[in-house]
Amino acid sequence: MITAHRHFTRVAAGLIASVSLVACGGISQQQEVELGAQQAQQVNAQLPMLQDPTINAYVNSLGNQLARTTSRADLDWHFAVVNTDVINAFALPGGYIYVNRGVLQQASNESELASVLAHEIEHVVRRHSVKQMEQVNNANIGVALACTLTNVCNNQVTQAAIQVGGSAYFAKNSRADEVQADEGGFSTMIRAGIDPHGMLTFFQKLLAEEQRSGGGNASSWFADHPGTEDRISDIQRLLNQDAGQLRGLRTDSQAFQSMKRRLAQLPPAPRSQGE
Ligand code: ZN
């Protein structure tokens, strides 16, 4: 735990150092990308990353299929897998998307995995975390940004480090942001030719897991993605409304199923600190 504390302090210091980027006015796309790249470097150094080239190639290919249909197709999108069973995903500014191994393990088909990626992509498309940074511009910026990005102010430091799911690294999204990310992600999936039913079935699965085990590996998801029950109704409404558009879209792929087989053969994820 002491190690986690020390690492975490270094991450927070790094984030404070990057504050000069946002000191005056809005954040340009170039600044956003630089900020995201800096944070990604820290995340990659601090979190246990899954280093399997085949699985990484698949996740990047699927992520890029989705991202290139969005209004921010010009960004250089990066997708990476964090080697933890905790079910979660997060996005950094500028197009850096992280999905935990736990999501890959829970997902039964490509549509379910794509729904998580499309949701996170939409947070970047809508610049949710960037907007939060712009809002704290006039406050005591060093402290405020570090708090927004790391939760260092309202969490036990060690607790934040335990949440390998990533909430330690990025802004908390509001319920409104979450609904936007779902709805935008839903449309992204359709544009990419993927049936968005996976968004419904994946959320239902997480909710069932939460109700059965009082959270377990899914509790981190619920902490970072508020309002899941309302969001399920919203997605159900979209599915009914767009039913005509969904015929012929794919739900699964051979690439997804071979990723699953490969994943099952890898050594298990390291236990999270504090487990
Ligand atoms: Zn979200």
Side-chain angles (χ1 to χ4, degrees):
M1 301 314 276
I2 289 163
T3 312
H5 184 284
R6 205 182 320 124
H7 282 181
F8 188 74
T9 309
R10 211 178 327 128
V11 172
L15 291 170
I16 290 167
S18 64
V19 161
S20 58
L21 281 171
V22 296
C24 41
I27 297 172
S28 71
Q29 174 151 318
Q30 194 196 334
Q31 289 171 325
E32 179 191 347
V33 169
E34 282 171 22
L35 192 61
Q38 271 184 17
Q39 292 178 12
Q41 216 173 23
Q42 291 163 358
V43 167
N44 294 343
Q46 304 290 331
L47 296 188
M49 303 307 298
L50 188 76
Q51 305 285 0
D52 186 89
T54 311
I55 293 177
N56 281 325
Y58 167 70
V59 172
N60 271 280
S61 158
L62 180 61
N64 274 292
Q65 280 172 48
L66 294 159
R68 71 171 176 242
T69 73
T70 70
S71 61
R72 302 195 77 188
D74 58 321
L75 285 176
D76 191 9
W77 291 84
H78 303 265
F79 298 85
V81 181
V82 184
N83 195 13
T84 169
D85 294 334
V86 172
I87 301 165
N88 214 337
F90 63 101
L92 299 178
Y96 294 84
I97 308 290
Y98 292 82
V99 58
N100 286 359
R101 179 177 181 166
V103 171
L104 272 52
Q105 288 167 173
Q106 274 302 316
S108 313
N109 55 49
E110 189 165 69
S111 169
E112 293 190 346
L113 174 57
S115 74
V116 173
L117 295 176
H119 174 100
E120 296 302 330
I121 287 168
E122 192 68 15
H123 280 310
V124 175
V125 167
R126 299 205 174 238
R127 301 172 82 246
H128 284 150
S129 61
V130 178
K131 282 181 189 159
Q132 289 186 34
M133 281 185 252
E134 287 171 344
Q135 280 165 11
V136 296
N137 243 350
N138 299 322
N140 181 346
I141 189 151
V143 174
L145 184 55
C147 292
T148 310
L149 289 176
T150 65
N151 287 340
V152 75
C153 302
N154 55 17
N155 266 353
Q156 292 292 330
V157 187
T158 46
Q159 187 61 38
I162 289 164
Q163 291 183 353
V164 194
S167 63
Y169 291 97
F170 72 116
K172 279 276 180 222
N173 293 307
S174 67
R175 280 176 180 245
D177 288 351
E178 289 305 307
V179 169
Q180 272 191 346
D182 287 342
E183 294 182 352
F186 188 95
S187 307
T188 297
M189 291 179 77
I190 296 175
R191 287 194 308 273
I194 302 174
D195 190 320
H197 274 94
M199 193 174 271
L200 181 69
T201 56
F202 194 72
F203 284 177
Q204 285 172 334
K205 203 186 293 185
L206 294 191
L207 200 60
E209 159 114 2
E210 161 105 336
Q211 284 162 354
R212 193 182 57 235
S213 66
N217 278 333
S219 57
S220 165
W221 174 275
F222 288 97
D224 288 348
H225 299 84
T228 300
E229 285 176 66
D230 292 344
R231 291 163 59 200
I232 286 177
S233 330
D234 191 46
I235 294 160
Q236 186 67 67
R237 179 185 59 78
L238 293 175
L239 285 169
N240 295 340
Q241 177 187 304
D242 297 342
Q245 287 186 58
L246 308 184
R247 260 186 297 269
L249 300 185
R250 77 172 190 271
T251 299
D252 205 3
S253 72
Q254 287 190 348
F256 175 86
Q257 291 301 335
S258 62
M259 178 278 290
K260 290 285 283 188
R261 284 191 296 274
R262 190 173 174 89
L263 192 63
Q265 286 164 6
L266 295 180
R271 289 163 65 85
S272 304
Q273 287 151 325
E275 243 181 83

